[in-house]
Amino acid sequence: MHEIVTLQFGHFSNFVGAHFWNTQEAHFNYQQSGDEEETAPELVNHDCLYRIGMTSKGVETYTPRALIYDLKGGFGSINKYKLYEAPPAQDHYQQQYDLSWDPSKMETFQEEEYSKSAYQRHLEDEELGLATEQDEDSVELNEIRTWSDYNRVYFHPKSMVTLTGYQMDSEFMPFDVFSYGRAAFIETEKEKDTYDENFRLFTEECDQLQGFQVMADVLDGWGGYAVSYLEQLREDYPKATVVTYGLSDAKMGKTSTMRERQTTAVNETLAMTNLSRLSSLYVPVRAPTRAMLSPQGWTKNLRFDPSNRYHTSAFISTGIDNALLPCRLRHGGVFMADMVGALNWRNVTTIGTLSIGLPFPYGGNKLPHLTGKLSPLLDLSSRNSDEDDLVFSQSVVLRGLDISQFARYAAGTQRTPREVVDEMLDTLPIGKSLGDSKILTSLKYPIPTSFPRFFQGLTTEGYQNTERSPPNNREDGTSKVNSAPIISRLAVSTTSRWHLQSLSESVRKINLRLLPQFDSDMTGGVNTEEFDEAKETLLELYDNYNE
C-alpha cells in the first residue's frame, strides 16, 4: 500500500500538522454509491497516510498513520479516546488498582478543563444534528489558541503522546534547550515506552513502507527530542527514506538577550547537523514574515498575519502537503525513495529547500514568471539568494489545474496548452540532474472550513477574480474559497549555503561553557567536543553547497 508514517514533534509542528490532516480529510469523497451524481475517481491514495482499525465495539475506523508529541497542556480540548470510548477515570482506577479505602471518600484534584473553541463546539453540534456543514463558514475563528481548536480529525489513541515532565508556556521550567529534549526522550521512554508501544503499532502493520515524514520544532527542546527519536528509528530502519521538515518561527526561539540568542543558535545548529545526518532529506522551513511577503506581488490575494501561528502554519502545511504529493498519487506517482534519491543524487546534499505559491495566480491576462521578485514561489528555507545559485535537482508540483485550462493562454499563438505550461515551468533554473520532476495534476487543493479566511480577490475555485467573475466576498471582505491551485518546489540547490553560512557565523565564537543549560554532566547534556564537531559539520555542509 506504499505507507508513509508521519511523526510530529512540538507545538508549532502540530499547528502545521492539524492543517495538514484537515486537508487530507477534505480529500475524501463521501458520495454514496446510490447518489445521482457520478462519483469522481479518487486521484490520491488515502491508504498511504491512513490506516484501518477497529474500536472495542467492532466499529471499523480510518485514522491517520501518525504520532503526535506535545507538552502537557499542548493538546488543548482534544479528546483522544472519543472514537474508542475509554472508561471513566474512576472505573479505570478501580480496574487497575486494589484500593483499600472507599473511593467515594477520595479527594480529587483536577486541572481546569480547557474550554472548547467555537469551531469545535460547532463540529460537536453538527454530529448531534444541531448544526449543518453549511453553517461552518460563519463560525468565529478569531479565538484560535492552539492547534486542537481547529482540528477536524479523529486520531488513534496511540497517536498522541504527552511529555508530562514539561508544561506548555511554563516560565519556571521552559522546554527551550536541545539538551532538555534529549533528556525528556530518555525519561518518556522509561515511563511510557512509547517507541515500542506506539511507534511499532503503526510501522509493523505496514505492507510496503515508503518511509517517514517528520515535522519537528528545531529552536527549542523538541530538536533534541526529535534527534534522539530518529537515532532510535535508524537502529530499526537504517535504510528507510526519512524526509524531515525542521520548523521554526518567531515565537519558538527567544532572542531578547544575547544569551537567549546564543541558546537559540546552538539549538538550531545541533538540530540541523544531527537531523540532516539522520534524514534522507532535511528541509529547514521558516514561517513567512512580513518582510518576506512584502515584495511578492501575488500577496494582494492574501490578508495574511505573519504573527499568527494559525495563519503561518496553514501556509507551511500547503507546501508540505504538495511536496510529497507525487508519492501519494494513484496514477503517475513516484516512490518516496526514488523521489528523494533523485533530489540527493550526489549523496552529500541532504539539505533541501521548500518554496510554495499559495494561491498560484491563475486567471489573469498572462501566466507568471516563476523567478524574480514577482515570482509566486516564496522560498521558506534559504535566507538569501543569488543569481549564481545552482540547482542540483528539483521536484515541482502544480496542482488544481487541468491542462485544458491553459488553452486560453495558447489562443492566438502557435503553441499548445502543454507547451504553454512547459514554457512557464522552464523559467525555473534547470537542475544538473536528469531526475528533475515537474508534475501537473488536476487534483485540487481543498480549503476546509478550518482553514484561515485570509484569501481575497479570488473566485470559489481560487482563481484570480475578474470583471466577469460573480461576486465572492464575505462581509469582512475576504473571499469564500473551496479550493485553490498551488505550486510548490522541493529542491536541492546552492541557496542552502546562505543559511548554513549565517548559522555558522552566529555560533562560531560561542563558548558553550558560558551556557550552563547545556551542561554535559546532566542527562542529555552537550559537551564542548560535540558542539565543536557540530560547528565543523556546518562548514563541511557549506562546502558541499558552495559549488
Side-chain angles (χ1 to χ4, degrees):
M1 296 195 306
H2 296 179
E3 300 92 347
I4 298 173
V5 176
T6 302
L7 306 173
Q8 299 170 204
F9 301 107
H11 201 58
F12 185 55
S13 292
N14 292 334
F15 263 83
V16 175
H19 283 299
F20 177 85
W21 291 113
N22 287 350
T23 302
Q24 305 315 308
E25 191 250 3
H27 276 304
F28 287 110
N29 191 329
Y30 292 106
Q31 283 184 302
Q32 301 296 321
S33 57
D35 288 351
E36 293 183 3
E37 295 184 14
E38 185 178 349
T39 302
E42 293 278 11
L43 299 179
V44 66
N45 182 4
H46 301 297
D47 291 333
C48 289
L49 293 173
Y50 279 74
R51 64 182 294 277
I52 295 175
M54 196 79 68
T55 69
S56 59
K57 293 189 175 182
V59 178
E60 193 173 85
T61 62
Y62 202 51
T63 53
R65 191 176 285 108
L67 281 159
I68 302 170
Y69 288 76
D70 213 326
L71 303 182
K72 188 178 181 182
F75 287 94
S77 62
I78 198 167
N79 183 354
K80 71 176 183 177
Y81 291 108
K82 184 172 182 180
L83 195 62
Y84 289 81
E85 300 179 359
Q90 185 169 319
D91 292 346
H92 172 75
Y93 282 119
Q94 289 176 328
Q95 293 169 8
Q96 296 294 320
Y97 304 103
D98 181 17
L99 302 180
S100 57
W101 58 85
D102 185 356
S104 63
K105 296 181 180 179
M106 291 173 59
E107 186 176 1
T108 303
F109 296 90
Q110 187 173 354
E111 293 183 3
E112 184 179 350
E113 187 175 351
Y114 187 94
S115 59
K116 292 182 174 64
S117 67
Y119 189 78
Q120 287 295 331
R121 292 195 298 270
H122 170 81
L123 292 180
E124 290 186 352
D125 287 344
E126 187 179 303
E127 285 188 3
L128 296 172
L130 303 177
T132 65
E133 187 177 342
Q134 287 70 28
D135 295 332
E136 283 184 70
D137 194 55
S138 62
V139 178
E140 181 61 56
L141 286 173
N142 291 329
E143 60 175 275
I144 299 298
R145 295 161 293 171
T146 189
W147 59 272
S148 65
D149 287 343
Y150 57 90
N151 171 67
R152 295 178 55 91
V153 180
Y154 285 122
F155 294 97
H156 189 281
K158 291 288 186 181
S159 282
M160 288 171 281
V161 181
T162 304
L163 270 62
T164 54
Y166 288 88
Q167 181 74 35
M168 275 291 300
D169 301 323
S170 171
E171 295 183 3
F172 173 70
M173 197 173 177
F175 192 61
D176 59 353
V177 180
F178 182 90
S179 304
Y180 299 169
R182 292 206 298 201
F185 176 80
I186 295 171
E187 292 302 316
T188 301
E189 290 308 298
K190 282 182 180 178
E191 178 186 345
K192 299 182 178 181
D193 201 14
T194 64
Y195 186 86
D196 282 333
E197 293 294 328
N198 301 52
F199 176 78
R200 294 190 191 281
L201 169 72
F202 294 100
T203 56
E204 292 182 353
E205 66 185 9
C206 296
D207 295 326
Q208 192 175 6
L209 179 67
Q210 280 201 69
F212 301 91
Q213 173 180 253
V214 183
M215 307 176 206
D217 297 359
V218 293
L219 300 188
D220 53 19
W222 284 109
Y225 196 96
V227 167
S228 294
Y229 203 99
L230 289 192
E231 286 175 340
Q232 181 76 42
L233 184 153
R234 279 301 185 195
E235 291 184 11
D236 290 342
Y237 298 91
K239 296 183 179 181
T241 303
V242 179
V243 176
T244 301
Y245 301 96
L247 305 182
S248 59
D249 73 344
K251 294 183 179 181
M252 196 180 301
K254 297 179 181 178
T255 57
S256 299
T257 66
M258 175 65 75
R259 183 167 173 173
E260 288 177 346
R261 288 194 293 271
Q262 290 181 337
T263 299
T264 298
V266 173
N267 287 339
E268 185 175 8
T269 297
L270 293 169
M272 172 176 275
T273 54
N274 282 285
L275 290 175
S276 62
R277 168 180 60 88
L278 294 163
S279 304
S280 310
L281 187 69
Y282 174 75
V283 186
V285 177
R286 179 79 175 176
T289 62
R290 197 170 300 279
M292 293 167 63
L293 292 167
S294 57
Q296 307 292 330
W298 52 269
T299 55
K300 67 179 184 295
N301 294 126
L302 291 179
R303 189 182 293 180
F304 190 82
D305 182 2
S307 65
N308 189 335
R309 276 187 163 181
Y310 173 54
H311 282 200
T312 58
S313 58
F315 197 90
I316 291 172
S317 74
T318 61
I320 291 178
D321 178 89
N322 234 36
L324 293 184
L325 178 64
C327 306
R328 310 196 309 269
L329 293 176
R330 286 191 179 277
H331 306 288
V334 297
F335 203 60
M336 196 171 169
D338 295 332
M339 177 180 176
V340 174
L343 289 168
N344 182 27
W345 58 273
R346 300 174 72 213
N347 293 324
V348 293
T349 48
T350 56
I351 296 177
T353 62
L354 178 65
S355 304
I356 176 67
L358 170 69
F360 174 79
Y362 172 84
N365 294 326
K366 59 182 180 179
L367 290 172
H369 286 280
L370 300 184
T371 57
K373 291 185 177 180
L374 297 180
S375 168
L377 282 166
L378 180 65
D379 190 337
L380 298 177
S381 298
S382 61
R383 300 180 181 177
N384 203 339
S385 62
D386 192 285
E387 292 182 359
D388 295 328
D389 286 334
L390 301 176
V391 177
F392 298 126
S393 189
Q394 60 189 333
S395 172
V396 181
V397 179
L398 174 58
R399 69 184 294 187
L401 296 168
D402 188 85
I403 192 67
S404 62
Q405 292 179 271
F406 291 90
R408 57 181 296 186
Y409 298 104
T413 71
Q414 301 299 316
R415 298 170 298 172
T416 66
R418 180 77 251 185
E419 289 172 335
V420 169
V421 174
D422 290 340
E423 183 178 299
M424 178 189 66
L425 295 179
D426 286 344
T427 60
L428 287 169
I430 300 175
K432 291 183 175 181
S433 167
L434 295 177
D436 268 18
S437 171
K438 296 175 182 177
I439 293 177
L440 171 67
T441 173
S442 60
L443 177 67
K444 295 181 180 296
Y445 182 84
I447 305 295
T449 54
S450 58
F451 208 80
R453 297 165 190 163
F454 54 36
F455 295 111
Q456 58 185 14
L458 298 177
T459 67
T460 55
E461 292 81 23
Y463 306 153
Q464 300 282 317
N465 217 333
T466 64
E467 294 180 359
R468 292 173 294 177
S469 303
N472 183 38
N473 289 330
R474 299 187 180 93
E475 292 183 2
D476 61 0
T478 61
S479 302
K480 177 176 171 54
V481 176
N482 297 324
S483 64
I486 290 176
I487 188 169
S488 68
R489 179 175 180 248
L490 189 61
V492 173
S493 71
T494 57
T495 56
S496 293
R497 74 182 190 265
W498 301 111
H499 187 179
L500 292 165
Q501 182 183 44
S502 173
L503 189 56
S504 180
E505 290 175 353
S506 68
V507 297
R508 182 165 54 90
K509 295 183 179 180
I510 292 179
N511 185 347
L512 199 66
R513 293 187 179 90
L514 301 180
L515 298 174
Q517 58 269 46
F518 292 95
D519 185 5
S520 60
D521 292 332
M522 73 175 193
T523 303
V526 179
N527 56 41
T528 55
E529 290 77 11
E530 182 181 354
F531 182 50
D532 289 341
E533 184 179 336
K535 289 191 284 187
E536 286 295 325
T537 300
L538 282 180
L539 295 176
E540 292 173 4
L541 290 169
Y542 175 81
D543 289 339
N544 291 337
Y545 290 89
N546 194 28
E547 299 180 7

